PDB file of all heavy atoms in Angstrom:
ATOM      1  N   ARG A 232     -44.831  32.028 -54.260  1.00 86.00           N
ATOM      2  CA  ARG A 232     -43.680  32.929 -54.321  1.00 86.00           C
ATOM      3  C   ARG A 232     -42.789  32.603 -55.530  1.00 86.00           C
ATOM      4  O   ARG A 232     -42.359  33.487 -56.272  1.00 86.00           O
ATOM      5  CB  ARG A 232     -42.882  32.816 -53.011  1.00 86.00           C
ATOM      6  CG  ARG A 232     -41.696  33.717 -52.969  1.00 86.00           C
ATOM      7  CD  ARG A 232     -41.013  33.759 -51.626  1.00 86.00           C
ATOM      8  NE  ARG A 232     -39.782  34.527 -51.768  1.00 86.00           N
ATOM      9  CZ  ARG A 232     -38.570  34.027 -51.620  1.00 86.00           C
ATOM     10  NH1 ARG A 232     -38.413  32.759 -51.311  1.00 86.00           N
ATOM     11  NH2 ARG A 232     -37.512  34.784 -51.782  1.00 86.00           N
ATOM     12  N   ASP A 236     -42.111  35.028 -58.638  1.00 86.00           N
ATOM     13  CA  ASP A 236     -40.746  35.407 -59.028  1.00 86.00           C
ATOM     14  C   ASP A 236     -40.534  35.157 -60.510  1.00 86.00           C
ATOM     15  O   ASP A 236     -39.951  35.978 -61.220  1.00 86.00           O
ATOM     16  CB  ASP A 236     -39.708  34.596 -58.234  1.00 86.00           C
ATOM     17  CG  ASP A 236     -39.453  35.228 -56.870  1.00 86.00           C
ATOM     18  OD1 ASP A 236     -40.092  36.256 -56.578  1.00 86.00           O
ATOM     19  OD2 ASP A 236     -38.619  34.690 -56.115  1.00 86.00           O
ATOM     20  N   ASN A 302     -38.317  39.938 -49.599  1.00 94.00           N
ATOM     21  CA  ASN A 302     -37.222  39.159 -50.199  1.00 94.00           C
ATOM     22  C   ASN A 302     -35.975  39.193 -49.323  1.00 94.00           C
ATOM     23  O   ASN A 302     -35.345  38.157 -49.076  1.00 94.00           O
ATOM     24  CB  ASN A 302     -36.859  39.708 -51.584  1.00 94.00           C
ATOM     25  CG  ASN A 302     -37.813  39.201 -52.651  1.00 94.00           C
ATOM     26  OD1 ASN A 302     -38.596  38.296 -52.403  1.00 94.00           O
ATOM     27  ND2 ASN A 302     -37.753  39.805 -53.821  1.00 94.00           N
ATOM     28  N   LEU A 303     -35.618  40.400 -48.843  1.00 97.00           N
ATOM     29  CA  LEU A 303     -34.381  40.513 -48.053  1.00 97.00           C
ATOM     30  C   LEU A 303     -34.530  39.821 -46.705  1.00 97.00           C
ATOM     31  O   LEU A 303     -33.606  39.131 -46.245  1.00 97.00           O
ATOM     32  CB  LEU A 303     -34.003  41.991 -47.867  1.00 97.00           C
ATOM     33  CG  LEU A 303     -33.624  42.729 -49.160  1.00 97.00           C
ATOM     34  CD1 LEU A 303     -33.273  44.187 -48.869  1.00 97.00           C
ATOM     35  CD2 LEU A 303     -32.453  42.039 -49.865  1.00 97.00           C
ATOM     36  N   ASN A 306     -34.510  36.004 -47.151  1.00 94.00           N
ATOM     37  CA  ASN A 306     -33.132  35.521 -47.318  1.00 94.00           C
ATOM     38  C   ASN A 306     -32.395  35.519 -45.986  1.00 94.00           C
ATOM     39  O   ASN A 306     -31.659  34.582 -45.671  1.00 94.00           O
ATOM     40  CB  ASN A 306     -32.376  36.406 -48.311  1.00 94.00           C
ATOM     41  CG  ASN A 306     -32.667  36.016 -49.749  1.00 94.00           C
ATOM     42  OD1 ASN A 306     -33.312  35.003 -50.002  1.00 94.00           O
ATOM     43  ND2 ASN A 306     -32.214  36.832 -50.680  1.00 94.00           N
ATOM     44  N   ALA A 307     -32.591  36.606 -45.188  1.00 96.00           N
ATOM     45  CA  ALA A 307     -31.906  36.683 -43.889  1.00 96.00           C
ATOM     46  C   ALA A 307     -32.345  35.508 -42.998  1.00 96.00           C
ATOM     47  O   ALA A 307     -31.527  34.946 -42.254  1.00 96.00           O
ATOM     48  CB  ALA A 307     -32.205  38.016 -43.218  1.00 96.00           C
ATOM     49  N   ARG A 309     -33.463  32.560 -44.185  1.00 91.00           N
ATOM     50  CA  ARG A 309     -32.962  31.339 -44.814  1.00 91.00           C
ATOM     51  C   ARG A 309     -31.484  31.106 -44.550  1.00 91.00           C
ATOM     52  O   ARG A 309     -31.043  29.993 -44.303  1.00 91.00           O
ATOM     53  CB  ARG A 309     -33.087  31.472 -46.327  1.00 91.00           C
ATOM     54  CG  ARG A 309     -34.320  30.908 -46.925  1.00 91.00           C
ATOM     55  CD  ARG A 309     -34.143  31.048 -48.413  1.00 91.00           C
ATOM     56  NE  ARG A 309     -35.354  30.752 -49.123  1.00 91.00           N
ATOM     57  CZ  ARG A 309     -35.520  31.090 -50.391  1.00 91.00           C
ATOM     58  NH1 ARG A 309     -34.582  31.760 -51.018  1.00 91.00           N
ATOM     59  NH2 ARG A 309     -36.621  30.767 -51.001  1.00 91.00           N
ATOM     60  N   TYR A 310     -30.717  32.188 -44.721  1.00 93.00           N
ATOM     61  CA  TYR A 310     -29.259  32.031 -44.677  1.00 93.00           C
ATOM     62  C   TYR A 310     -28.659  32.568 -43.372  1.00 93.00           C
ATOM     63  O   TYR A 310     -27.451  32.713 -43.257  1.00 93.00           O
ATOM     64  CB  TYR A 310     -28.621  32.752 -45.873  1.00 93.00           C
ATOM     65  CG  TYR A 310     -29.213  32.329 -47.193  1.00 93.00           C
ATOM     66  CD1 TYR A 310     -30.037  33.184 -47.930  1.00 93.00           C
ATOM     67  CD2 TYR A 310     -28.966  31.052 -47.711  1.00 93.00           C
ATOM     68  CE1 TYR A 310     -30.588  32.788 -49.139  1.00 93.00           C
ATOM     69  CE2 TYR A 310     -29.516  30.650 -48.918  1.00 93.00           C
ATOM     70  CZ  TYR A 310     -30.328  31.529 -49.629  1.00 93.00           C
ATOM     71  OH  TYR A 310     -30.876  31.124 -50.818  1.00 93.00           O
ATOM     72  N   GLY A 311     -29.543  32.875 -42.384  1.00 93.00           N
ATOM     73  CA  GLY A 311     -29.084  33.563 -41.169  1.00 93.00           C
ATOM     74  C   GLY A 311     -28.685  32.641 -40.035  1.00 93.00           C
ATOM     75  O   GLY A 311     -28.373  33.114 -38.938  1.00 93.00           O
ATOM     76  N   ASP A 333     -28.041  40.353 -41.060  1.00 97.00           N
ATOM     77  CA  ASP A 333     -28.108  39.030 -40.417  1.00 97.00           C
ATOM     78  C   ASP A 333     -26.724  38.649 -39.927  1.00 97.00           C
ATOM     79  O   ASP A 333     -25.737  39.305 -40.256  1.00 97.00           O
ATOM     80  CB  ASP A 333     -28.674  37.976 -41.387  1.00 97.00           C
ATOM     81  CG  ASP A 333     -27.757  37.705 -42.557  1.00 97.00           C
ATOM     82  OD1 ASP A 333     -26.603  37.287 -42.329  1.00 97.00           O
ATOM     83  OD2 ASP A 333     -28.182  37.911 -43.726  1.00 97.00           O
ATOM     84  N   MET A 336     -24.355  32.940 -42.633  1.00 93.00           N
ATOM     85  CA  MET A 336     -23.177  32.356 -43.288  1.00 93.00           C
ATOM     86  C   MET A 336     -22.369  33.381 -44.095  1.00 93.00           C
ATOM     87  O   MET A 336     -21.198  33.154 -44.377  1.00 93.00           O
ATOM     88  CB  MET A 336     -23.611  31.214 -44.206  1.00 93.00           C
ATOM     89  CG  MET A 336     -24.626  31.657 -45.255  1.00 93.00           C
ATOM     90  SD  MET A 336     -25.155  30.294 -46.280  1.00 93.00           S
ATOM     91  CE  MET A 336     -25.964  29.265 -45.074  1.00 93.00           C
ATOM     92  N   GLY A 337     -22.980  34.510 -44.439  1.00 95.00           N
ATOM     93  CA  GLY A 337     -22.252  35.515 -45.216  1.00 95.00           C
ATOM     94  C   GLY A 337     -22.076  35.113 -46.675  1.00 95.00           C
ATOM     95  O   GLY A 337     -22.455  34.000 -47.078  1.00 95.00           O
ATOM     96  N   ILE A 338     -21.530  36.038 -47.446  1.00 96.00           N
ATOM     97  CA  ILE A 338     -21.377  35.815 -48.897  1.00 96.00           C
ATOM     98  C   ILE A 338     -19.935  36.133 -49.287  1.00 96.00           C
ATOM     99  O   ILE A 338     -19.429  37.216 -48.977  1.00 96.00           O
ATOM    100  CB  ILE A 338     -22.330  36.744 -49.684  1.00 96.00           C
ATOM    101  CG1 ILE A 338     -23.774  36.491 -49.257  1.00 96.00           C
ATOM    102  CG2 ILE A 338     -22.179  36.571 -51.188  1.00 96.00           C
ATOM    103  CD1 ILE A 338     -24.691  37.642 -49.510  1.00 96.00           C
ATOM    104  N   ILE A 346     -24.772  37.806 -57.253  1.00 94.00           N
ATOM    105  CA  ILE A 346     -26.029  37.309 -56.674  1.00 94.00           C
ATOM    106  C   ILE A 346     -27.210  38.199 -57.065  1.00 94.00           C
ATOM    107  O   ILE A 346     -28.356  37.787 -56.949  1.00 94.00           O
ATOM    108  CB  ILE A 346     -25.971  37.176 -55.129  1.00 94.00           C
ATOM    109  CG1 ILE A 346     -25.463  38.473 -54.497  1.00 94.00           C
ATOM    110  CG2 ILE A 346     -25.161  35.968 -54.707  1.00 94.00           C
ATOM    111  CD1 ILE A 346     -25.608  38.495 -52.997  1.00 94.00           C
ATOM    112  N   GLU A 348     -27.732  39.008 -60.096  1.00 92.00           N
ATOM    113  CA  GLU A 348     -28.085  38.631 -61.466  1.00 92.00           C
ATOM    114  C   GLU A 348     -29.040  37.437 -61.447  1.00 92.00           C
ATOM    115  O   GLU A 348     -29.169  36.760 -60.436  1.00 92.00           O
ATOM    116  CB  GLU A 348     -26.804  38.250 -62.256  1.00 92.00           C
ATOM    117  CG  GLU A 348     -25.755  39.343 -62.322  1.00 92.00           C
ATOM    118  CD  GLU A 348     -26.224  40.586 -63.059  1.00 92.00           C
ATOM    119  OE1 GLU A 348     -27.114  40.473 -63.920  1.00 92.00           O
ATOM    120  OE2 GLU A 348     -25.718  41.682 -62.741  1.00 92.00           O
ATOM    121  N   GLU A 351     -28.451  33.383 -60.172  1.00 82.00           N
ATOM    122  CA  GLU A 351     -27.150  33.263 -59.511  1.00 82.00           C
ATOM    123  C   GLU A 351     -27.342  32.897 -58.049  1.00 82.00           C
ATOM    124  O   GLU A 351     -28.060  33.582 -57.318  1.00 82.00           O
ATOM    125  CB  GLU A 351     -26.365  34.577 -59.618  1.00 82.00           C
ATOM    126  CG  GLU A 351     -25.880  34.899 -61.013  1.00 82.00           C
ATOM    127  CD  GLU A 351     -24.764  33.975 -61.482  1.00 82.00           C
ATOM    128  OE1 GLU A 351     -24.256  33.172 -60.677  1.00 82.00           O
ATOM    129  OE2 GLU A 351     -24.416  34.066 -62.683  1.00 82.00           O
ATOM    130  N   ARG A 352     -26.697  31.816 -57.648  1.00 82.00           N
ATOM    131  CA  ARG A 352     -26.715  31.425 -56.238  1.00 82.00           C
ATOM    132  C   ARG A 352     -25.283  31.136 -55.801  1.00 82.00           C
ATOM    133  O   ARG A 352     -24.447  30.801 -56.617  1.00 82.00           O
ATOM    134  CB  ARG A 352     -27.579  30.168 -56.066  1.00 82.00           C
ATOM    135  CG  ARG A 352     -28.960  30.388 -56.639  1.00 82.00           C
ATOM    136  CD  ARG A 352     -29.924  29.356 -56.187  1.00 82.00           C
ATOM    137  NE  ARG A 352     -29.674  28.056 -56.779  1.00 82.00           N
ATOM    138  CZ  ARG A 352     -30.449  27.001 -56.572  1.00 82.00           C
ATOM    139  NH1 ARG A 352     -31.498  27.107 -55.769  1.00 82.00           N
ATOM    140  NH2 ARG A 352     -30.193  25.861 -57.129  1.00 82.00           N
ATOM    141  N   VAL A 353     -25.052  31.275 -54.516  1.00 83.00           N
ATOM    142  CA  VAL A 353     -23.695  31.014 -54.046  1.00 83.00           C
ATOM    143  C   VAL A 353     -23.544  29.512 -53.884  1.00 83.00           C
ATOM    144  O   VAL A 353     -24.310  28.900 -53.153  1.00 83.00           O
ATOM    145  CB  VAL A 353     -23.432  31.717 -52.692  1.00 83.00           C
ATOM    146  CG1 VAL A 353     -22.020  31.424 -52.207  1.00 83.00           C
ATOM    147  CG2 VAL A 353     -23.669  33.210 -52.819  1.00 83.00           C
ATOM    148  N   THR A 354     -22.592  28.944 -54.597  1.00 68.00           N
ATOM    149  CA  THR A 354     -22.425  27.500 -54.457  1.00 68.00           C
ATOM    150  C   THR A 354     -21.882  27.208 -53.066  1.00 68.00           C
ATOM    151  O   THR A 354     -21.132  28.007 -52.495  1.00 68.00           O
ATOM    152  CB  THR A 354     -21.444  26.929 -55.515  1.00 68.00           C
ATOM    153  OG1 THR A 354     -20.293  27.750 -55.507  1.00 68.00           O
ATOM    154  CG2 THR A 354     -22.064  26.894 -56.887  1.00 68.00           C
ATOM    155  N   ASN A 356     -23.749  27.081 -50.471  1.00 49.00           N
ATOM    156  CA  ASN A 356     -24.865  27.321 -49.553  1.00 49.00           C
ATOM    157  C   ASN A 356     -25.727  26.059 -49.569  1.00 49.00           C
ATOM    158  O   ASN A 356     -25.874  25.432 -50.609  1.00 49.00           O
ATOM    159  CB  ASN A 356     -25.701  28.518 -50.032  1.00 49.00           C
ATOM    160  CG  ASN A 356     -25.095  29.838 -49.575  1.00 49.00           C
ATOM    161  OD1 ASN A 356     -24.038  29.845 -48.978  1.00 49.00           O
ATOM    162  ND2 ASN A 356     -25.774  30.921 -49.877  1.00 49.00           N
ATOM    163  N   GLY A 360     -31.838  27.311 -50.760  1.00 59.00           N
ATOM    164  CA  GLY A 360     -32.035  28.413 -51.703  1.00 59.00           C
ATOM    165  C   GLY A 360     -33.199  28.189 -52.648  1.00 59.00           C
ATOM    166  O   GLY A 360     -33.791  27.114 -52.704  1.00 59.00           O
ATOM    167  N   GLY A 361     -33.537  29.236 -53.394  1.00 71.00           N
ATOM    168  CA  GLY A 361     -34.611  29.130 -54.369  1.00 71.00           C
ATOM    169  C   GLY A 361     -34.046  29.133 -55.774  1.00 71.00           C
ATOM    170  O   GLY A 361     -33.025  28.507 -56.034  1.00 71.00           O
ATOM    171  N   LEU A 362     -34.683  29.916 -56.650  1.00 80.00           N
ATOM    172  CA  LEU A 362     -34.282  29.913 -58.050  1.00 80.00           C
ATOM    173  C   LEU A 362     -33.160  30.901 -58.356  1.00 80.00           C
ATOM    174  O   LEU A 362     -32.725  31.006 -59.485  1.00 80.00           O
ATOM    175  CB  LEU A 362     -35.490  30.285 -58.918  1.00 80.00           C
ATOM    176  CG  LEU A 362     -36.609  29.255 -58.962  1.00 80.00           C
ATOM    177  CD1 LEU A 362     -37.775  29.798 -59.740  1.00 80.00           C
ATOM    178  CD2 LEU A 362     -36.109  27.974 -59.592  1.00 80.00           C
ATOM    179  N   GLY A 363     -32.748  31.655 -57.368  1.00 85.00           N
ATOM    180  CA  GLY A 363     -31.729  32.673 -57.646  1.00 85.00           C
ATOM    181  C   GLY A 363     -32.336  33.860 -58.378  1.00 85.00           C
ATOM    182  O   GLY A 363     -31.654  34.551 -59.135  1.00 85.00           O
ATOM    183  N   LEU A 364     -33.629  34.081 -58.168  1.00 88.00           N
ATOM    184  CA  LEU A 364     -34.293  35.200 -58.847  1.00 88.00           C
ATOM    185  C   LEU A 364     -34.614  36.343 -57.899  1.00 88.00           C
ATOM    186  O   LEU A 364     -34.778  37.489 -58.312  1.00 88.00           O
ATOM    187  CB  LEU A 364     -35.612  34.730 -59.483  1.00 88.00           C
ATOM    188  CG  LEU A 364     -35.498  33.939 -60.779  1.00 88.00           C
ATOM    189  CD1 LEU A 364     -36.869  33.471 -61.232  1.00 88.00           C
ATOM    190  CD2 LEU A 364     -34.850  34.793 -61.864  1.00 88.00           C
ATOM    191  N   GLY A 365     -34.719  36.011 -56.580  1.00 91.00           N
ATOM    192  CA  GLY A 365     -35.195  36.982 -55.596  1.00 91.00           C
ATOM    193  C   GLY A 365     -34.417  38.294 -55.611  1.00 91.00           C
ATOM    194  O   GLY A 365     -35.000  39.372 -55.732  1.00 91.00           O
ATOM    195  N   LEU A 366     -33.086  38.204 -55.530  1.00 95.00           N
ATOM    196  CA  LEU A 366     -32.272  39.428 -55.468  1.00 95.00           C
ATOM    197  C   LEU A 366     -32.256  40.153 -56.805  1.00 95.00           C
ATOM    198  O   LEU A 366     -32.157  41.379 -56.856  1.00 95.00           O
ATOM    199  CB  LEU A 366     -30.839  39.109 -55.033  1.00 95.00           C
ATOM    200  CG  LEU A 366     -30.662  38.777 -53.550  1.00 95.00           C
ATOM    201  CD1 LEU A 366     -29.205  38.429 -53.247  1.00 95.00           C
ATOM    202  CD2 LEU A 366     -31.102  39.956 -52.677  1.00 95.00           C
ATOM    203  N   TYR A 367     -32.372  39.387 -57.884  1.00 93.00           N
ATOM    204  CA  TYR A 367     -32.422  40.003 -59.217  1.00 93.00           C
ATOM    205  C   TYR A 367     -33.672  40.888 -59.320  1.00 93.00           C
ATOM    206  O   TYR A 367     -33.597  42.066 -59.687  1.00 93.00           O
ATOM    207  CB  TYR A 367     -32.442  38.892 -60.271  1.00 93.00           C
ATOM    208  CG  TYR A 367     -32.734  39.366 -61.675  1.00 93.00           C
ATOM    209  CD1 TYR A 367     -31.805  40.130 -62.364  1.00 93.00           C
ATOM    210  CD2 TYR A 367     -33.937  39.042 -62.302  1.00 93.00           C
ATOM    211  CE1 TYR A 367     -32.063  40.565 -63.654  1.00 93.00           C
ATOM    212  CE2 TYR A 367     -34.202  39.471 -63.588  1.00 93.00           C
ATOM    213  CZ  TYR A 367     -33.257  40.238 -64.266  1.00 93.00           C
ATOM    214  OH  TYR A 367     -33.522  40.667 -65.536  1.00 93.00           O
ATOM    215  N   SER A 390     -24.278  39.294 -43.141  1.00 97.00           N
ATOM    216  CA  SER A 390     -24.407  40.218 -44.273  1.00 97.00           C
ATOM    217  C   SER A 390     -25.312  41.380 -43.906  1.00 97.00           C
ATOM    218  O   SER A 390     -26.215  41.250 -43.076  1.00 97.00           O
ATOM    219  CB  SER A 390     -25.055  39.512 -45.466  1.00 97.00           C
ATOM    220  OG  SER A 390     -24.478  38.262 -45.684  1.00 97.00           O
ATOM    221  N   PHE A 392     -27.649  43.906 -46.184  1.00 98.00           N
ATOM    222  CA  PHE A 392     -28.156  44.381 -47.474  1.00 98.00           C
ATOM    223  C   PHE A 392     -28.680  45.794 -47.262  1.00 98.00           C
ATOM    224  O   PHE A 392     -29.468  46.040 -46.337  1.00 98.00           O
ATOM    225  CB  PHE A 392     -29.256  43.458 -47.996  1.00 98.00           C
ATOM    226  CG  PHE A 392     -28.712  42.194 -48.603  1.00 98.00           C
ATOM    227  CD1 PHE A 392     -28.420  41.097 -47.813  1.00 98.00           C
ATOM    228  CD2 PHE A 392     -28.476  42.111 -49.966  1.00 98.00           C
ATOM    229  CE1 PHE A 392     -27.890  39.942 -48.363  1.00 98.00           C
ATOM    230  CE2 PHE A 392     -27.951  40.954 -50.538  1.00 98.00           C
ATOM    231  CZ  PHE A 392     -27.655  39.864 -49.730  1.00 98.00           C
TER     232      PHE A 392
HETATM  233  P1  LIG B   1     -32.596  32.460 -53.850  1.00 76.88           P
HETATM  234  O1  LIG B   1     -34.001  32.250 -54.294  1.00 76.88           O
HETATM  235  O2  LIG B   1     -31.649  31.395 -54.309  1.00 76.88           O
HETATM  236  O3  LIG B   1     -32.462  32.811 -52.419  1.00 76.88           O
HETATM  237  P2  LIG B   1     -31.759  35.162 -54.308  1.00 76.88           P
HETATM  238  O4  LIG B   1     -31.614  35.893 -55.587  1.00 76.88           O
HETATM  239  O5  LIG B   1     -32.666  35.742 -53.298  1.00 76.88           O
HETATM  240  O6  LIG B   1     -32.162  33.704 -54.716  1.00 76.88           O
HETATM  241  O7  LIG B   1     -30.343  34.989 -53.684  1.00 76.88           O
HETATM  242  C1  LIG B   1     -29.275  34.561 -54.500  1.00 76.88           C
HETATM  243  C2  LIG B   1     -28.224  33.860 -53.677  1.00 76.88           C
HETATM  244  O8  LIG B   1     -27.574  34.787 -52.831  1.00 76.88           O
HETATM  245  C3  LIG B   1     -28.783  32.831 -52.733  1.00 76.88           C
HETATM  246  O9  LIG B   1     -28.948  31.580 -53.409  1.00 76.88           O
HETATM  247  C4  LIG B   1     -27.721  32.772 -51.656  1.00 76.88           C
HETATM  248  O10 LIG B   1     -26.683  31.928 -52.095  1.00 76.88           O
HETATM  249  C5  LIG B   1     -27.185  34.188 -51.610  1.00 76.88           C
HETATM  250  N1  LIG B   1     -27.783  34.989 -50.503  1.00 76.88           N
HETATM  251  C6  LIG B   1     -28.830  35.829 -50.570  1.00 76.88           C
HETATM  252  N2  LIG B   1     -29.079  36.428 -49.403  1.00 76.88           N
HETATM  253  C7  LIG B   1     -28.154  35.952 -48.529  1.00 76.88           C
HETATM  254  C8  LIG B   1     -27.844  36.178 -47.151  1.00 76.88           C
HETATM  255  N3  LIG B   1     -28.567  37.022 -46.420  1.00 76.88           N
HETATM  256  N4  LIG B   1     -26.798  35.497 -46.622  1.00 76.88           N
HETATM  257  C9  LIG B   1     -26.067  34.656 -47.365  1.00 76.88           C
HETATM  258  N5  LIG B   1     -26.283  34.385 -48.675  1.00 76.88           N
HETATM  259  C10 LIG B   1     -27.315  35.028 -49.246  1.00 76.88           C
END
Side-chain angles (χ1 to χ4, degrees):
R232 181 172 173 245
D236 277 1
N302 279 349
L303 294 180
N306 278 352
R309 266 185 190 165
Y310 307 109
D333 67 59
M336 57 182 64
I338 302 157
I346 51 170
E348 302 297 334
E351 290 290 352
R352 305 195 289 184
V353 179
T354 48
N356 277 4
L362 292 175
L364 283 176
L366 286 178
Y367 170 69
S390 314
F392 282 85

